[in-house]
Amino acid sequence: MTAPVECTDREAGARPEPTAGRTGTWRHGWPLAAANRGAWRRGRLTAGGHWGAWRRGGVTAGGDGGAWRRGRVTAAAAALSALVMAGHTWMPNGFGGLGSLLETFLPWLGVSVPVLLASAAVRRSATAGVAVLLPAVVWCSLFGGMLVDKGSAGGDLTVVSHNVNDENPDPARTARELASSGAQLLALEELTARTAPAYERALADTYPYHSVQGTVGLWSTYPLRDVEPVAIMPWTRALRATADTPKGAVAVYAAHLASVRVLPSAGFTTARRNEAAGKLADAVRAEPLARVVVVGDFNGTTDDRALRPVTSRLRSAQEEAGDGFGFSWPASFPVARIDQILVKGVIPVSSWVLPSTGSDHLPVAAALRL
């Protein structure tokens, strides 16, 4: 007799019961222990999650692929910020002085970096986070060196320049504070017929030599000679003098360039200032002495292209030997360095900003090696 043959459920056409509970639909007799087989065929599942999310950009091997799709507006803003900083010289200056206005406050575009970075974090956007590197790199290439203290000890000549404000309520106190700086040369701008005598009296004991020409004055512990006004405007706002220091003669220019305004109808009005800068540059170009110091209120920064006739021939003490940007205006919350100490033929050793006086500007100072 033939032995009975056992057949399996599959061979008998029977549908076996799931071994661990019903976890999905049976297809063709093949159980799926963890998911619906139909879902596999429809492309919905992967070993790690929902396949449809892959196709929609929702999942990557390392996390949420939407991180690369989100934050496109923030990324675009970051690219624009980098472009404006890198290409600020291409900003047209013919209409409304937009180029000069941008360059006056150019360092402040760096504020866009933490703002955009915060936006990228809120959006959880990898694209925006990477894009923010662009303005960060550009800003550091332009201004990173300003964050390092480049000063050192020593120097043969200390110079202070200060726009004292024609409405200064206490000129005598301001004069005493400036005299305590220890400067050998002190240049004051925005003097008036009312305030000039007060400064002369308060500074007489410290500075035996001085000259006032129009609205600017120069005080010195060293003899001054060949003092004369420099015609940069219809009225006197600049002077030139020779200071006889123990290390030799130094040509000193003190100037107050024309004021600028931002007007809705005309934009950043700088025409008179730019004209005065050109005339000052002509005087410096014709200077016979090798050692030259030019100080004063320029109503503009060294980044401003309109001041290049002057700044291109001289070096900024703050940029070479300062600590930080040395912002000098307005005194209550300085946002721009419009008061300058520029040199030629001498070496800046250190540069700094003095405490506030009764003026709307802060005094600026520099130690020079002759």
Side-chain angles (χ1 to χ4, degrees):
M1 178 182 294
T2 303
V5 178
E6 295 183 1
C7 63
T8 65
D9 291 340
R10 179 175 179 80
E11 290 170 335
R15 298 183 69 176
E17 292 297 324
T19 58
R22 186 172 181 82
T23 58
T25 303
W26 290 80
R27 289 295 186 98
H28 307 296
W30 292 96
L32 299 178
N36 189 318
R37 177 178 176 80
W40 283 83
R41 296 182 63 188
R42 292 193 299 271
R44 290 183 179 176
L45 294 180
T46 65
H50 197 292
W51 189 17
W54 283 80
R55 297 196 300 176
R56 293 193 300 271
V59 176
T60 65
D64 188 353
W68 292 100
R69 292 179 177 269
R70 292 191 295 267
R72 292 178 178 177
V73 173
T74 300
L80 178 61
S81 176
L83 180 62
V84 170
M85 283 190 283
H88 65 90
T89 57
W90 301 334
M91 180 70 69
N93 213 25
F95 176 75
L98 292 179
S100 288
L101 181 60
L102 170 64
E103 289 163 345
T104 298
F105 302 104
L106 191 61
W108 288 98
L109 287 185
V111 174
S112 67
V113 173
V115 172
L116 292 170
L117 190 60
S119 176
V122 170
R123 294 284 297 157
R124 292 184 296 174
S125 169
T127 300
V130 172
V132 172
L133 292 175
L134 292 174
V137 169
V138 173
W139 190 91
C140 287
S141 68
L142 292 173
F143 303 111
M146 300 298 293
L147 304 180
V148 180
D149 186 357
K150 301 172 288 296
S152 59
D156 305 308
L157 180 68
T158 300
V159 181
V160 168
S161 176
H162 189 30
N163 179 325
V164 293
N165 189 354
D166 57 2
E167 297 179 355
N168 192 315
D170 194 349
R173 182 177 67 86
T174 297
R176 290 192 297 270
E177 292 175 353
L178 295 173
S180 66
S181 67
Q184 287 85 38
L185 288 176
L186 172 63
L188 303 183
E189 303 87 46
E190 215 164 280
L191 299 173
T192 67
R194 176 186 65 84
T195 61
Y199 288 106
E200 290 174 324
R201 289 191 298 269
L203 296 171
D205 292 340
T206 306
Y207 299 98
Y209 309 97
H210 87 280
S211 176
V212 174
Q213 303 286 329
T215 62
V216 295
L218 181 64
W219 280 258
S220 175
T221 60
Y222 303 130
L224 298 175
R225 57 182 172 86
D226 303 328
V227 181
E228 59 183 1
V230 179
I232 63 171
M233 296 181 66
W235 56 97
T236 302
R237 287 174 52 128
L239 65 79
R240 184 263 180 212
T242 299
D244 288 323
T245 76
K247 294 291 185 74
V250 177
V252 183
Y253 290 79
H256 185 188
L257 303 188
S259 299
V260 297
R261 298 287 186 274
V262 178
L263 303 175
S265 59
F268 194 43
T269 58
T270 62
R272 291 196 306 165
R273 183 206 64 178
N274 299 346
E275 182 181 358
K279 293 180 178 180
L280 179 61
D282 291 340
V284 173
R285 187 184 305 113
E287 175 56 53
L289 294 181
R291 293 185 290 195
V292 180
V293 177
V294 181
V295 303
D297 177 2
F298 280 42
N299 278 308
T301 70
T302 54
D303 293 315
D304 191 337
R305 72 191 73 173
L307 298 181
R308 283 179 190 159
V310 178
T311 58
S312 64
R313 299 177 179 277
L314 304 164
R315 309 192 319 277
S316 167
Q318 182 65 27
E319 292 177 8
E320 288 200 7
D323 180 11
F325 291 95
F327 294 148
S328 63
W329 178 88
S332 57
F333 187 82
V335 297
R337 183 180 176 90
I338 64 174
D339 301 275
Q340 309 296 342
I341 298 178
L342 309 176
V343 301
K344 182 179 73 170
V346 302
I347 301 173
V349 174
S350 58
S351 179
W352 64 98
V353 176
L354 294 174
S356 177
T357 67
S359 173
D360 57 340
H361 292 241
L362 295 177
V364 296
L368 311 174
R369 183 176 297 121
L370 302 181

